[in-house]
Amino acid sequence: MIVLADFMQRALLAALLTGLAAPAVGTYLVQRRLALMGDGIGHVALTGVALGLLTGWAPVWTAVVVATLGAVAIELLREHGRASADVALAMLFYGGIAGGVLLVGLAGISAATLTTYLFGSVTTVSVGDLVLIAALTVVVLVLCIGLRPQLFAVCQDEEFARAAGIPVRVYSMLIAAMAAVTVVVAMRTVGLLMVSALMVVPVATAQQLARGFRATFSLALLLGVAASLTGVTLSYYVDVAPGAAIVVVALFGFTLAWPAGSLLRRQRFAGQRAETGRRGHVAAEEHVHEHDAECGHPGVPHDDHVDYLHGGHLHARHGRHYDEH
Amino acid sequence: MTEVVDIDDVTVVLDDRVVLSDVDLHVSQGEVVAVLGPNGSGKSTLIRAALGLAPVRQGDIRLFGTPISQFRNWQRVGYVPQRSTAASGVPASVREVVAAGRLARRRPFQRADARDRETVEQAIALVGLTDRSDDRVDRLSGGQQQRVLVARAAAGDPDLLVLDEPNAGIDQTSQEAFARALRTFVASDRTVLLVLHQLGPLGPLVDRAVVLDAGRVLREGPLPIPADVTGMPQEHAHSEHRETGLFG
Ligand SMILES: Nc1ncnc2c1ncn2[C@@H]1O[C@H](COP(=O)(O)OP(=O)(O)O)[C@@H](O)[C@H]1O
Ligand SMILES: [Mg+2]
């Protein structure tokens, strides 16, 4: 076993936590079609970091506070937003990064220090940072997994979720706050400008291979951990910013998954066709499935083959379902 | 007779536009009531208001006798929003989408139990998608996705089904299957409020229709309502060409 320097152990641990938290929240953001929200929060968080550097408070803490405020503001804009919502969002992004650079300039912070926040750094994760990162990651994961059915429903169909009595606003704000916390968790490893990639790319990769939400979620976490551990290790040996290394590794995974995904789909399709063929209906597989809804209704004129397939069978299920009530 | 939906003199204003003005609608237990009218007449807004989803400027709304602001028994309501797709940014399987229909009955952090899972399978079977339960919804046809949304509402085992154009994009034969499912549903004295673009095979099931025009009730009463009043194309025009497109 290779003995790792202390800072490298901390960096790897931080990478592991980041690799779990970022795709977990990212799955919900992508499902809501808010893939760029992480990016926006990252920009706003820079102001928080600068505030910390200027005042001498721990930048991680000031970043958590400012990023959460920014995320809630973004969520409010989204909720009330009409046509101008994305313009308002854009202004918040630019305001965030401009504010950050301005404050950094006032504080007389070097560009090198700023770079460690923007693109991550393996040498700067302190024990204090690590404890905070670990605590925040645990909270984010418990919420993301424990509330998965509710969060899924809210992200999938807000109208329906409301009519199911789910407090959609509370959950929306929760997602925004978790996204903010995750941005800060990821700040030390991938950096504020790259964090969104770790939220989105593993999810996009997992989508190529998985068929359901739960499977995509789990696979995205796995891929996120793989990418951030590989990226941080790479940055140790090649001496590049870990953020860039992590993102390149994640994107590499995506380019591998793309053809693999098409191949998988083609195989599934072929499997379905073979099955359809055995049933003696080769013409159109989609057609067979369309006819399921007919439940073998006798009044509907359709060919014997489909009747043979589904006739009676689904009717019985109707009966069972409603007999219960 | 127990009143399930009470809408009294309701006015809804969206973006400074009066979308509904002084609309009355009452649905009793066991009834099937259809809301008809041309596009933009306020049909969706009316049923959204009934569920507390649209801001009500004036008037009174009750569900199962409870003022909507205090209504908490959401497991009694199954809602199918007007949508052309059940897809979202991340792929979800048919089963996962339908399972969301059980959430009004589950507390946060509470796991799905055997009964939840069983009801979900039954709801999927009801719309005839059992052999597609593990498939991604975004890979299904528009009509099949619509059926997934109906299954999601049915999975909650509700007393009131509220459906916004459940037949959009569904072909004639599937509509007939849906009509049969609905018939069993109301046979157990449950209630349906639905928006329809065309009556189609559901026509014979509908007890009463409300025709909206420009946010006002133009006409209300038992069917049949002449097609020229509903502002809809004649029925036979639809059976001529079997459309399976999004708005077929
Ligand atoms: N969120 C909204 N903001 C502003 N106007 C809206 C909104 N939703 C619907 N409307 C308007 O209200 C009217 C009625 O809409 P809707 O209830 O969807 O009609 P229908 O379902 O009968 O086609 C339309 O003119 C529509 O443009
Ligand atoms: Mg509508």
Side-chain angles (χ1 to χ4, degrees), chain B residues 44 82 164-165:
Chain B
S44 296
Q82 179 173 22
D164 199 343
E165 303 204 17

Side-chain angles (χ1 to χ4, degrees), chain B residues 5 25 27 31-37 43-44 46-47 50 78-80 150 160-168 175 178-179 182 186 191-203 205-212 223:
Chain B
V5 180
L25 175 65
V27 185
E31 268 192 312
V32 178
V33 174
V35 180
L36 310 171
K43 306 183 295 294
S44 296
L46 178 60
I47 63 165
Y79 176 42
V80 179
V150 171
L160 167 67
L161 261 183
V162 179
L163 310 145
D164 199 343
E165 303 204 17
N167 273 345
Q175 285 193 35
F178 178 55
L182 215 58
V186 287
T191 314
V192 178
L193 173 60
L194 78 173
V195 172
L196 287 179
H197 180 65
Q198 52 171 114
L199 283 173
L202 291 181
L205 272 170
V206 175
D207 297 314
R208 204 152 52 80
V210 176
V211 183
L212 287 185
L223 290 173

Side-chain angles (χ1 to χ4, degrees), chain A:
Chain A
M1 162 121 202
I2 311 160
V3 181
L4 291 170
D6 280 356
F7 76 86
M8 198 52 197
Q9 286 177 10
R10 288 197 296 274
L12 283 174
L13 214 56
L16 173 74
L17 295 165
T18 307
L20 288 170
V25 177
T27 308
Y28 295 112
L29 294 181
V30 172
Q31 200 198 5
R32 280 198 120 170
R33 303 185 197 280
L34 284 175
L36 288 178
M37 184 153 175
D39 208 26
I41 297 172
H43 285 56
V44 175
L46 184 66
T47 297
V49 170
L51 207 64
L53 294 173
L54 191 65
T55 56
W57 293 327
V60 178
W61 281 108
T62 50
V64 166
V65 173
V66 174
T68 307
L69 288 177
V72 169
I74 291 173
E75 181 54 34
L76 287 173
L77 282 172
R78 193 193 70 84
E79 193 180 298
H80 298 287
R82 294 258 185 278
S84 61
D86 61 333
V87 176
L89 277 177
M91 289 199 279
L92 199 65
F93 295 179
Y94 304 137
I97 201 152
V101 172
L102 209 73
L103 290 180
V104 164
L106 288 178
I109 309 274
S110 71
T113 308
L114 191 62
T115 305
T116 67
Y117 287 98
L118 291 179
F119 303 105
S121 159
V122 282
T123 52
T124 54
V125 184
S126 71
V127 175
D129 285 347
L130 196 58
V131 170
L132 182 66
I133 288 174
L136 292 176
T137 301
V138 168
V139 172
V140 165
L141 285 180
V142 165
L143 293 173
C144 279
I145 294 169
L147 295 174
R148 187 161 52 196
Q150 283 78 14
L151 293 170
F152 169 79
V154 167
C155 296
Q156 217 253 338
D157 189 340
E158 265 191 51
E159 283 267 296
F160 175 82
R162 270 203 196 94
I166 297 171
V168 169
R169 264 195 103 177
V170 174
Y171 282 106
S172 298
M173 288 297 167
L174 181 67
I175 292 171
M178 288 196 301
V181 163
T182 305
V183 163
V184 178
V185 163
M187 175 170 81
R188 301 317 264 139
T189 41
V190 261
L192 292 173
L193 290 190
M194 298 281 169
V195 53
S196 192
L198 196 55
M199 291 176 141
V200 173
V201 179
V203 180
T205 309
Q207 276 187 29
Q208 305 295 321
L209 307 168
R211 278 205 285 182
F213 183 80
R214 207 188 153 118
T216 304
F217 183 91
S218 312
L219 189 56
L221 261 62
L222 211 73
L223 291 167
V225 169
S228 42
L229 289 182
T230 314
V232 164
T233 310
L234 216 65
S235 90
Y236 176 70
Y237 287 111
V238 201
D239 193 26
V240 292
I246 290 171
V247 173
V248 167
V249 171
L251 285 172
F252 182 65
F254 180 77
T255 54
L256 286 185
W258 203 354
S262 331
L263 206 72
L264 213 64
R265 274 193 293 282
R266 212 165 302 144
Q267 262 173 10
R268 273 180 200 144
F269 183 70
Q272 275 175 8
R273 274 178 77 102
E275 208 178 316
T276 317
R278 266 202 309 283
R279 290 166 177 172
H281 190 292
V282 205
E285 66 145 15
E286 191 68 349
H287 202 201
V288 171
H289 295 297
E290 274 298 339
H291 276 270
D292 288 355
E294 298 171 23
C295 313
H297 182 49
V300 185
H302 51 76
D303 57 78
D304 302 344
H305 165 71
V306 176
D307 263 340
Y308 168 72
L309 240 182
H310 297 289
H313 166 67
L314 286 171
H315 261 181
R317 295 206 187 202
H318 284 180
R320 261 215 304 282
H321 178 59
Y322 284 106
D323 281 346
E324 275 195 3
H325 310 302

Side-chain angles (χ1 to χ4, degrees), chain B residues 1-247:
Chain B
M1 225 179 345
T2 327
E3 294 288 319
V4 175
V5 180
D6 287 291
I7 297 178
D8 279 305
D9 273 338
V10 159
T11 297
V12 172
V13 179
L14 296 173
D15 272 354
D16 298 326
R17 259 196 64 208
V18 179
V19 176
L20 291 178
S21 51
D22 293 329
V23 174
D24 271 292
L25 175 65
H26 299 273
V27 185
S28 307
Q29 190 181 337
E31 268 192 312
V32 178
V33 174
V35 180
L36 310 171
N39 285 336
S41 57
K43 306 183 295 294
S44 296
T45 307
L46 178 60
I47 63 165
R48 291 181 72 245
L51 297 173
L53 300 174
V56 171
R57 170 70 56 95
Q58 181 194 304
D60 215 25
I61 293 173
R62 287 166 176 270
L63 273 187
F64 296 99
T66 309
I68 190 71
S69 56
Q70 290 156 34
F71 186 77
R72 295 290 175 268
N73 276 329
W74 290 107
Q75 73 274 11
R76 299 191 74 177
V77 179
Y79 176 42
V80 179
Q82 179 173 22
R83 290 187 102 195
S84 53
T85 165
S88 58
V90 171
S93 70
V94 170
R95 184 177 288 115
E96 286 171 324
V97 173
V98 175
R102 297 295 294 172
L103 283 178
R105 297 174 175 275
R106 274 166 66 188
R107 315 197 137 274
F109 295 106
Q110 185 186 337
R111 293 180 59 87
D113 60 20
R115 169 140 184 75
D116 287 326
R117 282 190 289 271
E118 190 187 332
T119 317
V120 167
E121 297 308 320
Q122 284 167 347
I124 295 172
L126 176 73
V127 298
L129 289 174
T130 300
D131 58 348
R132 306 298 299 264
S133 357
D134 290 316
D135 287 354
R136 293 167 54 154
V137 273
D138 59 337
R139 295 278 153 78
L140 301 183
S141 73
Q144 287 171 325
Q145 291 188 30
Q146 189 70 47
R147 274 148 60 190
V148 171
L149 299 184
V150 171
R152 179 177 65 178
D157 196 9
D159 296 322
L160 167 67
L161 261 183
V162 179
L163 310 145
D164 199 343
E165 303 204 17
N167 273 345
I170 299 194
D171 61 32
Q172 186 76 14
T173 44
S174 302
Q175 285 193 35
E176 281 160 8
F178 178 55
R180 281 196 306 282
L182 215 58
R183 203 187 301 276
T184 16
F185 184 81
V186 287
S188 50
D189 212 23
R190 292 189 277 189
T191 314
V192 178
L193 173 60
L194 78 173
V195 172
L196 287 179
H197 180 65
Q198 52 171 114
L199 283 173
L202 291 181
L205 272 170
V206 175
D207 297 314
R208 204 152 52 80
V210 176
V211 183
L212 287 185
D213 187 38
R216 291 179 178 280
V217 177
L218 186 68
R219 193 183 153 132
E220 185 185 351
L223 290 173
I225 290 173
D228 57 311
V229 179
T230 64
M232 289 185 289
Q234 297 282 337
E235 288 302 323
H236 66 258
H238 279 271
S239 44
E240 271 171 19
H241 44 139
R242 255 187 87 238
E243 280 186 59
T244 48
L246 226 50
F247 302 102

